[in-house]
Each structure stands twice: as structure tokens, then as C-alpha cells.
Amino acid sequence: MLLRADRLTKTFADTVAVDQVSFELKAGETLALIGHSGCGKTTTLKMLNRLIEPDNGVVELDGAVASGMAGHEWRRRIGFVIQNAGLFPHKTVAENVLVTPGLLGWDRARQQAKLHELLDMVGLPARDYAHRYPAELSGGQRQRIGLARALAGEPDIVLMDEPFAALDPLTKDGLIADIARLRRELGFASVLVTHDFGEALRLADRIAVMDGGRIVQTGTARDLIASPANKVVEDLLAAPRLMAATVGRAFGEGGS
Amino acid sequence: MSGLFAEEWAVFPGHYAGHLRLALGALLMGLIISVPLGTLVARRQVFAGPALAAASVVQTIPGLALLALMVPLMGGMIGFWPAFTALSLYSILPILRNTIVGLQGVDQDVREAALAVGMTANQRLREIDLPLAAPVIVAGLRTASAWVVGTATLSTPVGARSLGNYIFQGLQTRNWDAVLFGCLISAALALALDQVIGQFEKAALKRSRRHALAGGIGLALVIAPALSLFVEGGTSRRAAGNPERPAATVSLEGQTITIGAKGFTEQYILADLLKRTLEAKGARVEIRDGLGTTVAFDALASGEVDVYVDYTGTIWAALMKRDDPAQRSAMYARVSAWLLNERGVMAFGKLGFENAYAFATSPQTAAGNQLETIADLSGKDLAIASDPEFFGRSEWTRTRDAYGLQSLDPRSMDSAFMYDAVKNGEVDLVTAYTTDGRIDAFDLVLLEDTLSVLPPYDAFILLSPEAQESAALLNALEPLQGAISTELMRAANSKVDLERQSVSQAGAWLYEEVSPASE
Ligand SMILES: Nc1ncnc2c1ncn2[C@@H]1O[C@H](COP(=O)(O)OP(=O)(O)OP(=O)(O)O)[C@@H](O)[C@H]1O
Ligand SMILES: [Mg+2]
């Protein structure tokens, strides 16, 4: 087992944001966390890389316990991608991507090789983009660089918090395809936080539905559709189901 | 005198170096205190608020007051350190405020991303927070730089040499060239420093060698004019009362004597006279002029100044805090006894003239109100101007009560402007100084003090505890005792105040008049 989260709990003031959340992740596997706004997805994700320290519960990565090492060392082994990329505006693309390798003490040659490999992979070749500043990139390009930065330290796992939320549908489709490809090529596991069942469907091996700080059901998309555990899961599926029917009908008519 | 501002350029290196030392020192101090402090409190709102409030309070204290307050707060010390301390306090706020605001303005996502990629808190501060806050911090540094360079001109009254020496002396002696020169150089320095900071900022942001080089050259150019001082100067050592020197030496060769002077024409001229007298005996002389009354005396008592001239009535009222009138004959004896016993300061003889306060009015006002004596002012609704010091002293309240002058309307005014004001009828009365040349020149009428309420103001030489041990110094000063009559002093003052001569011209003239060689 690559990642194990065991009974993670976090309370802010008097809101219980996350309540006894447990799950496991095999190497290379993707888990989607999905649920309504405020249900505790981001908090859960940040407890995995200790941007938020849990009140209770344990995180294990590759057999090592999170609380057993310094937070910054723990985070260097885990990639993190957020909504608006969070690139460092005063650093070039190359410098942004190479922060973690630098902190890990890689030599120059290895860093440069990694930079070129990753920028090629995300479709922004180093020759044209390495020396640009974030302000000189489009939103989609920024998000790709954010992805490259998260992957630069060769992590076994990448955490993604609504990485597509700010993108237009076309850009979003391209990025989803890229992530799927990168995952095949590099073999990293990931936890993807999203509101969107479609995204979960395309990227995740398993989906965990959260409500009120708890995981109410975990399973493949097929499992959830076949037997939703409760009303929350059913509601979550209602909109995509309607959309699928509408789209299917439209394509059916158009195709005949 | 030849060339534009020739006289001002002559003392330029010293004034400029003093100013630069204060300004750069205070800015450096501001950075050293504010950036770490701001960094520490920026993420803790509980501390950030109070830190900013405290710094803002300092800022609301007027510059001159803050500088003056430093003297008593630092145990009567005058000169560089109190001025430096006050200016450092002044430079703290803008840098502190901008450090806090700048750090708080760094995007939260970016800060979180820095931790997420594996930076430690310190690495984030160095690599992300400070670079991103840098433009705001530098803007604060620029504000501080403008304030400090400007406010440093106010360090003159606490005895620190600065470009303010031009301005204060120029205002007092109505030498507008000097005032203009001081302002121009100070403004030029402020602009130049702003440019230098701007270059360094660009160098840091764009990691550009070119801008770093430009900043470095700029800074060198700003500092260069101050360096000529050291080329010419060599090391100066305080030597009055130096134990290595036998007390009986007649020559002052190799000794450095510091002469003090308060901020009005007569004092500037007397300092120049003392300087010529001591230099004739081989001494190296430094002048600390433009000092406030108590600042000058405290500097003497602590030995930072070796010699200066003060007046019996001033010591009596301002230092001995006596408000009873004294007999003229007894006063000097009582003042000198008090000085020696209480403060270890030696009164080394009267110069021979008196510079008292006298109630003066224009001939027209005198005629119109039938004024001959101070008593004639009783019950009259007239405006009287004097320096702020006078209205704060007991001799004013005593005179007012003795003659029944409650109906007068007191107005504080710098002594440089009083005489014109009374001559032009803007005020009805002034408290003129009896040695001022403008009394004669403007035909002012002095009102007789029939009740002898106003105390005598005999000018006399004061020596610091160290300086009075030097027999050579005493020898050199002795010829000045009784050498300057009221008429002579008034004539010297008019040369500056009316004939527009420079202080050093008037000093040279007076020196010729009193030196034994010329008799
Ligand atoms: N720093 C905090 N202080 C106080 N309450 C917080 C904090 N962070 C989160 N919460 C609360 O914890 C709960 C879970 O928040 P969280 O950000 O994990 O939700 P989420 O599922 O990511 O929502 P969204 O889909 O809107 O991003 C919410 O009720 C939120 O208000
Ligand atoms: Mg969230």
C-alpha cells in the first residue's frame, strides 16, 4: 500500500471539518474526493501533506509515518497542484519547476534534464518557455507549469485540489488528457479533489464521496451509479445523469 | 570672497560629511531594526498593531522636538549620538510599516505553494516573502530617506554638524545665500539618495549587474564630497586638559579646542573671535554652533564643548531657576560661585558688554502712546514680540506683574525677524537685545526699567571642567576679559545684521579691535 490515511480528524474552532476519514491508495492509483462545497475535501487533502496538521489520525506514505519527520521533508516527497497554480511570480518557469529538485540537492545536469523532460511532457518546450515569467503565460499554461513543478521532485504521489476549476472546457479537456498520459508514463498515484463527477470519471480509479466531513461511500464510478449508498450520493449523480441523457440524445439524433 | 557661494563651499566638506553620516547611519539603523521587527510581527496581528502604533506616535513628534528630547534622555549628551538616535527613530516607521504591509500583501496561494514544494519557513521568508515584499519595503526606505535627509538639517541645535548649520546660521544672520545653499544641497542629497536606492532596487529585482554598478557608483559619488574632509583633516584629538601636557605650556600647539555657540548673530561672531584668538596660539579649533541655551551649557558641563560665552541673567534664570532679581554687582559673583560649586564650570571673566533684554518700540508708537518707561505700558492694549524663550522665563512674568502689563498681547517670534516687525509696525513692542545694531539703525526707543526688574545680562566666558585645567588656554583667553564694550559688540553685530557682511568678516574685524597686537 502506498498511502494510508487512518481516521484523520480536524476541527476548526467549533466546526468539525473532517471527521475520522480513512482510505488507502495503491501505487499508481487515483482516488477522487468529491462532494459539496465545505464538506472537507481541501482539509483532508492538506492533512495528507501536512499543510494542515490533523488533530487526530495518522498518514503513512510508503510505510513512513508523517509525524515522524519534519514537515518540509515530508512535503518534498509529495506533489501538490492547486486551482490557480500558485506559481512564484518573481521566478521564471525554469526556477519555478526546479524548486523542489533544488531543495532535494540534485546536481545541475539532473535538474536540467528533468526540466526539459517535464516541459516537453506538458507541451511547453524549454526553449520557448523556460525563461518566461508566470505573468507571461496563459491560465492553462500556468496550470501546466504548476503540474510540472509538482512532478519535478519525482514524487510517488500528487495531490490536486480542483486543478481544472479555473479553466475553459477546451483547455480543461486538454489538461485532463495530459494528466492521464503523464500518469501512464510516470506512474504516480494521485488524490484529486473535484466538484465535477465527469472529471472524477475520466481520471479516477475510485471515487470517495464526502459529506459533512465524512466519507459516505467509496467505489468505482460503476459502483456508485449502480448502488448509491444514500441521498447525498444520489443527488451528486443526478446532474451528470441528466446531462448524459441529454447529450446522448443529442448525439443519437445528430448521428441518425 | 570670490565665486558663487564661496564662503559656503569653504565649510562644505564638514557640514556635508556630518549630514551624510547622520542620514546614512539613521537609514541603516532603520533597516536593521525595522525589517527583522516587521518580519517578526507581520504574521502576528496582536503585535503588528501595537508596533505600528508605537512607531506612528514617534512620527507625530515634530522633528525638532524629538531631536531636542534626545539630549536629556541621553544624559545631556550632545552632538552626533542624540541626533543619530532621533533620526533612527524617525526612519523606523516608514520602513516598519512597509515591511509589515509588504509581507502581509504576499498572495496566500503563493505562500502555501512555497510550503507545498518543500520549503522550510525560513526558506519561504528568504525566497518568497522578502523578494515579493521588497518593492514595498524599498518604497518605505525611500520615504525614510527623504524624511531623514530633511530632518537631519534640524540636528544643528543639538550640536551635530549638518547642512542645517547653513540654514540656522543663515536665518539668524539673515544670510539668505547660506540658507539657500543649505536647502539646495539637502534637496540634492535627498534626490541623489533616492536615485541610488532606485538603482539598487532594480538591481535586486532584475538581478542586473548594470543597475548594481550604477547604484554603487551613485553611492560613491554621494559619499565622495565628504571624503575630502579626511584627506585634509587627519586625526583630531581632544587635548584641552590633556594630562600628558604640562599645565604650564604657553602654546596650544597640537591641542584641539571645541568652541560652543548658541544660535544668534552675536554668538556666531563671538565663536569666530574665540576661534581666531585660540588659533593664534596654535590650537586646532572646532566650532559647534547653533546650540540651544541648555544644550550649550550641558555640552560644556560634560566637556564636549570646552569654551563658550553666556550671559549672567540667562544662567540665573534658566539654570539656577532663580526668579528673584539680583543686584548687578552681586550677580556675577553669585553666578560664578554657583557654576563652580554646582556644575564644576569656571566663569572666566566678563567680556565687558551687556546683552540684556530691553523693551523697545518704534519712535511713532512711542510718540503715539506716550511711552518712555515700561510703566507707561500699563493697561495699554499693545502687541509685544519676543523669542519663545523669554515668555517662558520668570523675568517676563515678574516684569509683567511689577508693571501691570497683563493687557499686553505676547507673540513669540524668531529674533531675526523681530526688529523689522517693530520697525514696520507689525507689532508695537519687542524685547530687543541691547547689543543689537538695529536699535540704532532703526531708531528704536528703549523704555526705561525704572523698577530695575529686568536682570543684568553680562557676557562672560565659561570653561568646561577639563578646559579650566589648561593654563595655556587661560592665558590665551585672558586678553578678552573686559575687552569688548557694548558699543563694540553692537558694531560687530550690525556688520552682519545690517551691512550684510559674513560672520567671519565681522569676527575678523572684532579680533583686530580687541587683540593686544593692534593696540
Ligand atoms: N482555516 C479554517 N478556519 C476555520 N474553518 C475552516 C478553515 N478551513 C476550512 N474551514 C471550514 O472547514 C470546513 C471544510 O472546509 P474545506 O475547505 O475542507 O471544504 P471543501 O470541501 O474543500 O470546500 P470547497 O469545495 O468549497 O473548496 C468548512 O466548513 C470550512 O468553513
Ligand atoms: Mg476546497
Side-chain angles (χ1 to χ4, degrees), chain A residues 164-177 196 199 202:
Chain A
F164 316 111
L167 303 178
D168 68 89
L170 267 182
T171 314
K172 172 169 146 177
D173 265 5
L175 192 58
I176 290 178
D196 182 49
E199 287 170 16
R202 288 182 63 185

Side-chain angles (χ1 to χ4, degrees), chain A residues 46 51 72 75-76 80 86-88 90-91 95 99-100 103 133 149, chain B residues 109-110 112-120 123 127-128 131-132 207:
Chain A
K46 285 183 182 170
L51 283 177
H72 58 273
R75 284 186 284 274
R76 286 171 194 175
F80 190 63
L87 297 181
F88 307 129
H90 60 307
K91 291 181 183 283
E95 289 165 339
V99 172
T100 309
L103 292 169
Y133 283 90
R149 182 175 70 180
Chain B
D109 279 353
V110 168
E112 186 160 72
L115 289 186
V117 296
M119 289 187 187
T120 62
Q123 285 166 337
E127 301 243 338
I128 307 298
L132 288 177
R207 274 162 288 181

Side-chain angles (χ1 to χ4, degrees), chain A:
Chain A
M1 208 45 66
L2 177 71
L3 178 85
R4 214 165 62 81
D6 187 19
R7 283 167 290 174
L8 292 178
T9 300
K10 183 73 189 178
T11 310
F12 293 112
D14 46 3
T15 22
V16 183
V18 175
D19 188 9
Q20 307 248 3
V21 164
S22 304
F23 56 85
E24 293 186 339
L25 207 63
K26 292 200 286 279
E29 191 187 13
T30 294
L31 174 76
L33 285 181
I34 142 168
H36 291 298
S37 186
C39 70
K41 306 180 293 293
T42 297
T43 308
T44 303
L45 199 71
K46 285 183 182 170
M47 283 194 284
L48 298 181
N49 72 351
R50 293 180 57 193
L51 283 177
I52 294 176
E53 294 287 354
D55 296 336
N56 264 308
V58 181
V59 181
E60 266 179 45
L61 183 64
D62 245 349
V65 182
S67 50
M69 64 175 78
H72 58 273
E73 282 176 34
W74 179 256
R75 284 186 284 274
R76 286 171 194 175
R77 309 166 58 203
I78 301 176
F80 190 63
V81 181
I82 57 172
Q83 181 165 330
N84 286 310
L87 297 181
F88 307 129
H90 60 307
K91 291 181 183 283
T92 61
V93 163
E95 289 165 339
N96 266 283
V97 171
L98 292 176
V99 172
T100 309
L103 292 169
L104 290 170
W106 292 9
D107 63 47
R108 220 187 109 73
R110 186 175 171 197
Q111 290 193 25
Q112 287 305 313
K114 192 75 202 175
L115 177 70
H116 282 83
E117 175 196 343
L118 280 173
L119 291 188
D120 282 342
M121 279 181 161
V122 297
L124 301 169
R127 190 163 38 83
D128 298 329
Y129 292 91
H131 299 291
R132 293 208 194 175
Y133 283 90
E136 299 162 343
L137 300 174
S138 74
Q141 290 171 335
R142 247 175 264 161
Q143 204 57 301
R144 286 192 154 80
I145 299 301
L147 184 64
R149 182 175 70 180
L151 293 170
E154 298 182 347
D156 292 328
I157 180 164
V158 177
L159 310 179
M160 298 188 262
D161 194 354
E162 308 192 35
F164 316 111
L167 303 178
D168 68 89
L170 267 182
T171 314
K172 172 169 146 177
D173 265 5
L175 192 58
I176 290 178
D178 281 351
I179 290 178
R181 182 171 45 79
L182 283 167
R183 216 180 41 186
R184 275 196 307 280
E185 290 172 12
L186 299 174
F188 55 86
S190 60
V191 179
L192 171 71
V193 165
T194 177
H195 283 111
D196 182 49
F197 193 75
E199 287 170 16
L201 203 58
R202 288 182 63 185
L203 282 174
D205 302 304
R206 280 183 302 141
I207 298 172
V209 179
M210 288 190 71
D211 182 49
R214 291 169 170 270
I215 293 184
V216 293
Q217 187 174 11
T218 311
T220 61
R222 191 178 294 271
D223 295 340
L224 299 190
I225 295 166
S227 49
N230 63 15
K231 182 102 175 36
V232 178
V233 184
E234 263 176 52
D235 287 351
L236 216 58
L237 294 174
R241 183 172 277 141
L242 185 65
M243 176 66 91
T246 318
V247 172
R249 217 171 27 246
F251 276 89
E253 285 162 8
S256 61

Side-chain angles (χ1 to χ4, degrees), chain B residues 96 334 458:
Chain B
L96 180 65
R334 290 169 70 179
D458 292 312

